[in-house]
C-alpha cells in the first residue's frame, strides 16, 4: 500500500529548485520569443478594461481591439515625437557641444600627461587600440542581433497583443481545464489576482513614470540646465529599470550637464535633484500610486533585476518585477509553496518573527 506521508523537505526543495532552474533556462534559451510575448501580455492586460468597455457598448470585438491598439500606438508615437523634438534642439547646438567636448578632451589629455607621464603619442596609440576593439565588436554578428532585436520586437508586439485579447477567453479556459474540478475556484482566484496585480503594476508604473518625468524636468529647469525636459524624460524612462536605471540616468544627466555647465554648483544641483526625486519616488509615489498590490521586498527586487538582466538584458530587468509578483501570487495560494511567498514578500515583520520563535520555544518546553 503506497505511503500517504508528506515527502521530506529536501525532496520538495529539490523539485522546487529544479522547476525554477528549468524555467530560467527556458527563459534564457527562448528569450527572443518569450520576452516580446511577455511584454505583449502585460500590455494586453493593461488594455483589456478599455477593450471590454467598448465591447459593452456593442462595438464588435475585432473593431474594439483594433481601436484600443490604435490608441496605444498614437500615445507611443506622441511620446516619441516629444523626445524627437528635444533631440532636434540638441543637434542644433552640436557645434557648441563639439567645442566644449574638444576643450574638455584637450584638458584631459594635458592632465593625463602631467599626472601619469604619458605622452600625446602614447595616448593616441591607446585610443587607436580602443577604437579598433570597438569596431571589431560592432562588426560581430551578435551586434546585428542586438540592433535588429528591438525592431523585431516592436513589429511583433501589436500582433501578440491583438491575438492575446482576441483569444483571451480560450486561454483562460485552457488554464482552468488544465486542473481538476476541485481546484477550479482556486485557479480562478489566482488568475483574477494575477490580472489585478499586473493592471495595478502597469497602470501605476505609467503614472509614476509621468510624475518622475515632471519632477525631473522641473528640477533641471530651475537649475537652468539645457535639455532639461529631454534629460527628465529619459531619466524617467530609465527609472523603469528598478534601482539600476536611476543610477545610470543620474550619471547620464551629469555627463551631459558637465559639457554645457561645468560649474561644480550646477553639477551638485543636478545630483541633488535626482536624489530628491528618487527619495520622493521611493517613499511616496511608489507606495501611493502603485499601491500594495506588488509587495516584494527590496532584496528580492535587486536580485531579480540583476538576474533578469543576466538572462535577457534590459528587457529582462523590466520584466523581472512583474514576473516575481506573479510568482508570489502563485506561491501564496499553492499548498507547500507558501514559504516561497513569504520569502518574496515584505509583510513579515520583526514582531512576527519574534512571536514565531517564542511559539517554538513553548512547544519545546511542553513534555
Amino acid at each position: 500500500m503506497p505511503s500517504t506521508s508528506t515527502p521530506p523537505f529536501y525532496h520538495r526543495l529539490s523539485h522546487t529548485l529544479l522547476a525554477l532552474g528549468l524555467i530560467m533556462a527556458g527563459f534564457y534559451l527562448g528569450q527572443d520569443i518569450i520576452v516580446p510575448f511577455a511584454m505583449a501580455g502585460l500590455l494586453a492586460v493593461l488594455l483589456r478594461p478599455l477593450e471590454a468597455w467598448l465591447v459593452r457598448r456593442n462595438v464588435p470585438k475585432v473593431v474594439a481591439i483594433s481601436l484600443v491598439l490604435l490608441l496605444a500606438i498614437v500615445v507611443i508615437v506622441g511620446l516619441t515625437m516629444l523626445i524627437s523634438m528635444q533631440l532636434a534642439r540638441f543637434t542644433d547646438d552640436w557645434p557648441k557641444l563639439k567645442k566644449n567636448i574638444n576643450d574638455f578632451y584637450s584638458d584631459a589629455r594635458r592632465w593625463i600627461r602631467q599626472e601619469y607621464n604619458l605622452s600625446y603619442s602614447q595616448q593616441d596609440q591607446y585610443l587607436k587600440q580602443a577604437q579598433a576593439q570597438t569596431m571589431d565588436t560592432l562588426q560581430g554578428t551578435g551586434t546585428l542581433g542586438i540592433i535588429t532585436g528591438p525592431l523585431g520586437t516592436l513589429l511583433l508586439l501589436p500582433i501578440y497583443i491583438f491575438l492575446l485579447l482576441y483569444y483571451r477567453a480560450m486561454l483562460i479556459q485552457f488554464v482552468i481545464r488544465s486542473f481538476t474540478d476541485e481546484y477550479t475556484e482556486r485557479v480562478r482566484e489566482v488568475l483574477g489576482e494575477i490580472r489585478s496585480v499586473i493592471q495595478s503594476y502597469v497602470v501605476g508604473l505609467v503614472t509614476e513614470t509621468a510624475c518622475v518625468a515632471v519632477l525631473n524636468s522641473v528640477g533641471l529647469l530651475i537649475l537652468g540646465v539645457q535639455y532639461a525636459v529631454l534629460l527628465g524624460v529619459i531619466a524617467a524612462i530609465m527609472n523603469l529599470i528598478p534601482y539600476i536605471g536611476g543610477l545610470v540616468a543620474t550619471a547620464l544627466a551629469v555627463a551631459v550637464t558637465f559639457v554645457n555647465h561645468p560649474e561644480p554648483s550646477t553639477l551638485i544641483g543636478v545630483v541633488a535633484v535626482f536624489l530628491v526625486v528618487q527619495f520622493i519616488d521611493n517613499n511616496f509615489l511608489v507606495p501611493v500610486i502603485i499601491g500594495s498590490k506588488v509587495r516584494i521586498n527590496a532584496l528580492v527586487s535587486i536580485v531579480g533585476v540583476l538576474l533578469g538582466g543576466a538572462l535577457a538584458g534590459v528587457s529582462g530587468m523590466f520584466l523581472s518585477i512583474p514576473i516575481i509578483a506573479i510568482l508570489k501570487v502563485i506561491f501564496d495560494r499553492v499548498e507547500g509553496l507558501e514559504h516561497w511567498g513569504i520569502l518574496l514578500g515584505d509583510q513579515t515583520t520583526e514582531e512576527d518573527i519574534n512571536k514565531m520563535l517564542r511559539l517554538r520555544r513553548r512547544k519545546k518546553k511542553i513534555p
Side-chain angles (χ1 to χ4, degrees):
M1 183 176 179
S3 175
T4 59
S5 61
T6 304
F9 172 75
Y10 67 85
H11 187 272
R12 290 179 283 122
L13 179 62
S14 62
H15 280 69
T16 303
L17 293 178
L18 178 61
L20 291 176
L22 290 175
I23 291 173
M24 288 190 290
F27 191 84
Y28 176 74
L29 296 175
Q31 59 182 282
D32 293 337
I33 299 174
I34 295 175
V35 168
F37 191 81
M39 287 187 172
L42 293 178
L43 295 175
V45 173
L46 175 64
L47 298 175
R48 163 62 186 164
L50 182 56
E51 181 251 342
W53 182 81
L54 292 174
V55 170
R56 286 196 299 270
R57 277 147 185 81
N58 298 323
V59 178
K61 187 173 184 178
V62 174
V63 177
I65 296 174
S66 301
L67 289 176
V68 168
L69 272 177
L70 180 62
L71 176 62
I73 292 173
V74 168
V75 172
I76 293 174
V77 170
L79 292 175
T80 304
M81 291 180 61
L82 174 63
I83 297 176
S84 299
M85 292 170 59
Q86 292 293 315
L87 287 174
R89 289 182 53 197
F90 184 83
T91 55
D92 290 340
D93 290 338
W94 177 249
K96 176 185 174 183
L97 296 179
K98 187 176 180 181
K99 179 181 180 302
N100 291 338
I101 292 173
N102 288 334
D103 293 342
F104 173 75
Y105 176 69
S106 300
D107 294 339
R109 293 190 67 186
R110 198 180 305 100
W111 180 81
I112 292 174
R113 186 174 182 273
Q114 293 174 355
E115 294 293 329
Y116 297 98
N117 198 25
L118 284 176
S119 64
Y120 293 139
S121 60
Q122 290 175 319
Q123 295 180 35
D124 292 336
Q125 184 178 359
Y126 288 133
L127 285 175
K128 288 179 181 178
Q129 292 177 356
Q131 289 174 358
Q133 293 175 356
T134 303
M135 291 303 297
D136 291 340
T137 302
L138 291 177
Q139 291 173 357
T141 56
T143 304
L144 181 63
I146 294 174
I147 295 173
T148 58
L151 296 178
T153 300
L154 289 177
L155 294 176
L156 286 174
L157 276 179
I159 300 174
Y160 281 154
I161 294 172
F162 183 92
L163 294 176
L164 286 173
L165 289 174
Y166 187 78
Y167 293 113
R168 168 183 168 273
M170 182 193 69
L171 294 172
I172 293 176
Q173 194 69 11
F174 166 77
V175 174
I176 294 175
R177 290 294 182 89
S178 299
F179 300 87
T180 57
D181 293 340
E182 60 179 316
Y183 295 111
T184 298
E185 290 302 321
R186 181 175 294 186
V187 173
R188 290 182 183 275
E189 180 185 350
V190 170
L191 291 176
E193 185 67 20
I194 289 175
R195 182 191 62 186
S196 177
V197 166
I198 294 177
Q199 285 181 347
S200 175
Y201 178 75
V202 177
V203 172
L205 204 61
V206 172
T207 308
E208 178 214 357
T209 301
C211 294
V212 170
V214 171
L215 292 174
N216 287 335
S217 302
V218 170
L220 295 177
L221 286 171
I222 293 174
L223 293 175
V225 175
Q226 270 190 305
Y227 318 112
V229 176
L230 175 63
L231 292 174
V233 172
I234 291 176
I237 294 174
M238 296 187 71
N239 193 54
L240 291 173
I241 304 174
Y243 304 102
I244 300 173
L247 297 176
V248 176
T250 303
L252 176 64
V254 169
V256 174
T257 305
F258 179 75
V259 175
N260 299 278
H261 306 280
E263 301 84 7
S265 58
T266 305
L267 297 177
I268 294 173
V270 171
V271 175
V273 165
F274 280 94
L275 289 177
V276 171
V277 172
Q278 283 293 314
F279 176 81
I280 295 174
D281 180 41
N282 295 330
N283 293 277
F284 297 98
L285 295 182
V286 171
V288 173
I289 296 177
I290 296 181
S292 60
K293 291 290 184 181
V294 185
R295 301 297 298 270
I296 303 172
N297 65 71
L299 176 61
V300 172
S301 298
I302 295 175
V303 174
V305 168
L306 296 176
L307 186 59
L311 293 175
V314 177
S315 300
M317 290 181 171
F318 174 74
L319 291 172
S320 60
I321 300 300
I323 288 176
I324 293 173
I326 292 173
L327 288 176
K328 185 181 184 305
V329 171
I330 296 173
F331 290 158
D332 286 341
R333 285 160 178 78
V334 175
E335 186 178 354
L337 297 178
E338 296 90 346
H339 56 288
W340 289 98
I342 295 174
L343 177 65
L344 299 181
D346 65 346
Q347 293 91 345
T348 304
T349 62
E350 195 72 27
E351 183 180 354
D352 295 332
I353 296 174
N354 293 332
K355 287 181 179 179
M356 190 179 301
L357 292 175
R358 285 196 296 267
L359 181 61
R360 287 187 175 181
R361 288 171 186 167
R362 289 177 184 173
K363 287 183 178 180
K364 288 182 179 180
K365 290 180 180 179
I366 296 176

